[in-house]
Amino acid sequence: MCGIVGFTGPQQAAPVLLEGLKRLEYRGYDSAGIAVESGGKIRTEKCSGYLENLVKMTDGGKAIPGNCGIGHTRWATHGAPTVTNAHPHISNDGHFAVVHNGIIENYAQLREELTAKGFIFYSETDTEVVVHLLDMYYTGDLKRAVMKTVARLEGSYALGVLCDEKPGELIAVKNASPLILGVGAGENFFASDVTALIGHTRTVIYLEDGEFASLTPDKITVYDPAGREISKPLSQVMWNTEAAEKGGYEHFMLKEIMEQPRALKATIEPRVKNGEIVLEGFQFGSDQLKEINQIVITACGSAYHAGYVGRYIMEELCRIPTRAELASELRYSKPIIDERTLLIVISQSGETADTIAALKECKSLGARTLAIVNVVGSTVAKLADSVLYTWAGPEIAVATTKGYTTQIAVLELLAVYIARQLGRLEDKRYKQLVRGICALPERCQRAIDLNRRVEKLAGKHYKKTSLFYIGRNLDYAVAMEASLKLKEISYAHSEAYAAGELKHGTIALIDENQLVVALACYNALFDKLVSNVKEVKARGAQVLALARESQRRIFAEADQVLLVPETDELLMPIPEIVPLQLFAYYVAKAKGCDIDKPKNLAKSVTVE
Ligand code: BG6
């Protein structure tokens, strides 16, 4: 996600801002910029690509004089990573500069209103509406202009504001996105997280959602949402830089597992308005959808596993033949694909070579293409006819977690949306599914909370050299991802198996040395799964079962149980994968593996 910094004090601001942005590079970004106020004028420099370009352009900041400024590293969510879309954004009259981390969900309406009022937009970003609102509401009182502006915003935002009529003053606003104030001696700071501050000060003020602050070199004034001045405690940051980058977690992977509720919220909420699913960017109307006679989902690795979950949901709800195909297979299989095929391409990075090749192959055969991607402006995003972004924020750990669950969330929204467009979903069921999808962030958090003891469980099994993950229907799809997670980061061999298929051969491998992880959340086939559990137990296997919180019968069948919060049958995969991500994480940790950078693996394989 984006990173923002602000500085005001006796030092030259630009070098301090650039150094702060460098500290935030780990958050992932694709463009950067700074704005500095000097002598009542704001000067802005921006670049696409690496921060190094900005450092070079500004001679390390020396080329931009001034003691008060703001900076930004942008992780594109709305609009490609170009200089025009980079922050800071400037008001038409040049009096304001703004940096933003988060998503302004109602930016389209605000943009329309502001354009009608004569404001000129230059970027494709949601953020630019903020700087024009400030311009519109400013009559000399910066605090009031900020309050009136923020009152119009819906969504998540950490904002930094610079005004050329208020030399030396910064405004920082927090709502749902992280923002921390750094308290120095005769100088003050704000930043998205402590990594950008601890080089200058370890004394910080944590803002709550809705609060905002005015910073000058010798004073920080904090206000509540109503604009009343409030006093805030000073805190001391004890983390070192490395710990700070991981938000205090030992590994990026654990941080990203814990971030999933927030990532799901960011991906789902902007797409449900007054109980209706709204898929901006999905170009196919109901007439075109009616022409579709097959859906092919293609991807690699975990993205393929997300697609495999999606194929069950799509086929059940849309009643269109749907299959999931490995991209590396699809591209060479002379597939029967034409203009009546909807190809859904899933890729976190949007740069996986096999996935790009499969997309190109299917496009050449006439398929209509939709991409589900996490990186704005990536190759897959550009090649597809339509794109639905996951707004998971950058994923640093090689083994994906929030990338996978947000892909599933988009597939669920898409399946329900298409089924509705095709008139194959009656109102009650539609509303039930939409409510269930909106509750997924909370179900995901509960899945995390229910499984505090996974580490202890992993301690019992981390020496196992081979594990079986078995499940039926959606449980089988989740088993694929659970098995890959374990292999990727702990190097233990494991296999995902359709539980009903075990008896046709592979059960010969089952004995008292095996741990079988039985996924039993798909209620319709629970009894069948239980009979598979009995089969493997009869051959001496130990069984760790996953079951819905209410499915108490499982305790009589399995040796150990991990509980999964209840939700709709079709929506169980997201809460269900969470304890299995944690299980893989803690097994790898117990084995002392390099969890964030597993051997032989890359975050995105851009070669064949
Ligand atoms: C692998 C990654 O290299 O590529 C996996 O390690 C990922 O985590 C797979 O699922 C596909 O990558 P992408 O970016 O296309 O989703």
Side-chain angles (χ1 to χ4, degrees):
M1 62 289 273
C2 310
I4 70 173
V5 291
F7 170 77
T8 181
Q11 302 180 60
Q12 285 300 299
V16 175
L17 296 171
L18 291 171
E19 193 264 334
L21 291 179
K22 193 133 190 59
R23 292 266 177 233
L24 296 179
E25 279 191 303
Y26 78 91
R27 296 166 66 88
Y29 69 99
D30 38 47
S31 55
I34 59 174
V36 176
E37 174 271 323
S38 172
K41 284 235 168 306
I42 292 176
R43 173 143 170 227
T44 303
E45 290 294 343
K46 307 196 274 192
C47 75
S48 64
Y50 291 119
L51 186 60
E52 203 37 48
N53 303 333
L54 191 61
V55 172
K56 285 200 187 92
M57 281 165 71
T58 62
D59 187 15
K62 292 194 208 53
I64 308 186
N67 304 93
C68 178
I70 55 180
H72 188 268
T73 47
R74 178 172 182 254
W75 167 264
T77 55
H78 294 70
T82 60
V83 172
T84 311
N85 287 334
H87 305 203
H89 287 290
I90 311 297
S91 56
N92 291 156
D93 57 13
H95 289 315
F96 293 94
V98 167
V99 290
H100 165 228
N101 175 24
I103 293 182
I104 309 288
E105 293 172 11
N106 61 331
Y107 83 97
Q109 304 93 294
L110 291 171
R111 186 178 179 123
E112 222 174 287
E113 176 192 330
L114 289 159
T115 305
K117 288 182 172 157
F119 290 94
I120 302 164
F121 282 79
Y122 295 95
S123 79
E124 306 159 271
T125 67
D126 53 332
T127 304
E128 199 179 347
V129 298
V130 177
V131 81
H132 298 316
L133 284 169
L134 279 168
D135 194 1
M136 182 167 77
Y137 289 128
Y138 183 70
T139 55
D141 181 337
L142 183 55
K143 178 186 158 196
R144 279 190 55 73
V146 167
M147 288 178 68
K148 292 175 85 169
T149 295
V150 165
R152 301 293 309 277
L153 304 181
E154 290 169 21
S156 56
Y157 43 88
L159 298 172
V161 176
L162 193 57
C163 173
D164 61 5
E165 292 186 7
K166 305 289 178 187
E169 182 177 4
L170 295 173
I171 299 283
V173 185
K174 182 196 184 317
N175 186 52
S177 293
L179 187 61
I180 297 163
L181 309 181
V183 184
E187 58 185 15
N188 285 310
F189 310 77
F190 65 71
S192 298
D193 69 38
V194 292
T195 47
L197 299 176
I198 51 182
H200 302 282
T201 176
R202 287 181 176 272
T203 306
V204 296
I205 294 172
Y206 293 99
L207 291 181
E208 299 303 324
D209 285 353
E211 292 177 350
F212 63 102
S214 161
L215 292 81
T216 58
D218 48 19
K219 192 162 181 274
I220 292 181
T221 313
V222 181
Y223 302 95
D224 69 9
R228 289 182 296 254
E229 192 174 330
I230 51 177
S231 66
K232 297 285 283 183
L234 299 183
S235 307
Q236 290 304 314
V237 176
M238 307 317 285
W239 287 341
N240 61 31
T241 307
E242 200 208 341
E245 283 183 359
K246 292 166 189 156
Y249 291 103
E250 196 175 341
H251 298 99
F252 278 112
M253 182 175 175
L254 187 58
K255 174 171 176 273
E256 288 154 9
I257 290 173
M258 298 304 181
E259 267 176 1
Q260 289 181 116
R262 182 145 54 101
L264 287 163
K265 201 167 150 67
T267 297
I268 294 167
E269 284 201 350
R271 296 182 163 117
V272 179
K273 302 248 184 273
N274 309 319
E276 289 295 326
I277 295 175
V278 178
L279 294 184
E280 245 178 71
F282 184 62
Q283 316 273 345
F284 306 115
S286 47
D287 296 348
Q288 289 167 296
L289 289 172
K290 287 191 178 103
E291 292 164 11
I292 300 296
N293 65 3
Q294 69 165 338
I295 297 173
V296 176
I297 302 173
T298 194
C300 300
S302 298
Y304 168 73
H305 297 151
Y308 210 89
V309 169
R311 69 157 283 249
Y312 284 111
I313 299 171
M314 286 251 161
E315 196 154 81
E316 171 155 341
L317 293 179
C318 306
R319 308 316 295 158
I320 299 176
T322 306
R323 66 182 198 271
E325 296 262 3
L326 286 168
S328 54
E329 287 296 307
L330 179 63
R331 63 183 292 195
Y332 297 116
S333 64
K334 304 188 188 63
I336 299 171
I337 279 182
D338 60 22
E339 59 289 336
R340 299 192 65 192
T341 302
L342 172 61
L343 180 84
I344 300 174
V345 187
I346 307 173
S347 175
Q348 190 281 131
S349 64
E351 301 302 341
T352 299
D354 284 323
T355 307
I356 292 168
L359 170 54
K360 287 178 176 172
E361 170 70 10
C362 295
K363 274 191 80 157
S364 69
L365 296 170
R368 298 165 197 218
T369 58
L370 166 70
I372 297 176
V373 180
N374 197 38
V375 179
V376 174
S378 57
T379 305
V380 168
K382 284 188 220 153
L383 281 172
D385 301 325
S386 276
V387 188
L388 289 174
Y389 285 113
T390 50
W391 286 311
E395 198 173 51
I396 312 295
V398 166
T400 180
T401 49
K402 62 179 184 172
Y404 168 82
T405 47
T406 51
Q407 286 162 358
I408 292 179
V410 171
L411 286 163
E412 289 168 347
L413 286 164
L414 182 64
V416 175
Y417 177 83
I418 293 178
R420 170 90 153 180
Q421 291 290 317
L422 295 174
R424 294 174 187 161
L425 200 55
E426 93 281 347
D427 216 36
K428 182 165 167 286
R429 181 69 178 127
Y430 175 79
K431 288 195 172 78
Q432 202 178 40
L433 286 164
V434 171
R435 266 198 313 277
I437 292 170
C438 291
L440 284 173
E442 179 276 331
R443 295 285 85 187
C444 182
Q445 185 57 55
R446 181 162 175 73
I448 291 168
D449 298 344
L450 271 178
N451 293 292
R452 295 279 184 218
R453 62 180 185 81
V454 172
E455 184 166 9
K456 217 183 289 148
L457 208 53
K460 286 190 175 48
H461 298 300
Y462 78 96
K463 292 202 173 83
K464 288 274 185 312
T465 52
S466 165
L467 287 82
F468 282 82
Y469 289 79
I470 65 171
R472 290 172 175 260
N473 200 288
L474 285 171
D475 283 337
Y476 171 46
V478 175
M480 290 175 176
E481 175 60 10
S483 170
L484 178 62
K485 281 281 113 16
L486 189 84
K487 284 186 277 192
E488 276 181 313
I489 62 174
S490 77
Y491 315 138
H493 176 263
S494 77
E495 252 184 274
Y497 231 86
E501 185 60 14
L502 210 53
K503 55 187 174 295
H504 301 300
T506 301
I507 201 163
L509 297 180
I510 302 293
D511 60 24
E512 62 287 350
N513 303 316
Q514 304 295 334
L515 172 70
V516 173
V517 182
L519 283 70
C521 293
Y522 191 69
N523 247 358
L525 299 173
F526 180 80
D527 293 339
K528 297 279 179 211
L529 201 283
V530 167
S531 62
N532 298 134
V533 168
K534 291 178 189 302
E535 278 166 19
V536 295
K537 281 196 67 62
R539 287 150 180 87
Q542 264 206 330
V543 175
L544 163 59
L546 268 84
R548 295 158 165 268
E549 266 184 287
S550 62
Q551 192 55 276
R552 312 311 288 181
R553 275 178 47 206
I554 197 69
F555 286 95
E557 306 295 342
D559 300 295
Q560 290 132 7
V561 174
L562 285 172
L563 292 175
V564 181
E566 305 276 352
T567 180
D568 191 283
E569 186 88 309
L570 294 182
L571 306 180
M572 284 303 290
I574 287 181
E576 184 177 29
I577 192 62
V578 171
L580 294 164
Q581 292 168 336
L582 289 168
F583 181 74
Y585 172 81
Y586 285 114
V587 166
K589 188 176 172 202
K591 295 178 76 172
C593 297
D594 181 352
I595 291 172
D596 286 334
K597 296 190 182 65
K599 66 180 163 92
N600 311 339
L601 297 186
K603 183 62 187 164
S604 170
V605 180
T606 55
V607 293
E608 271 213 46

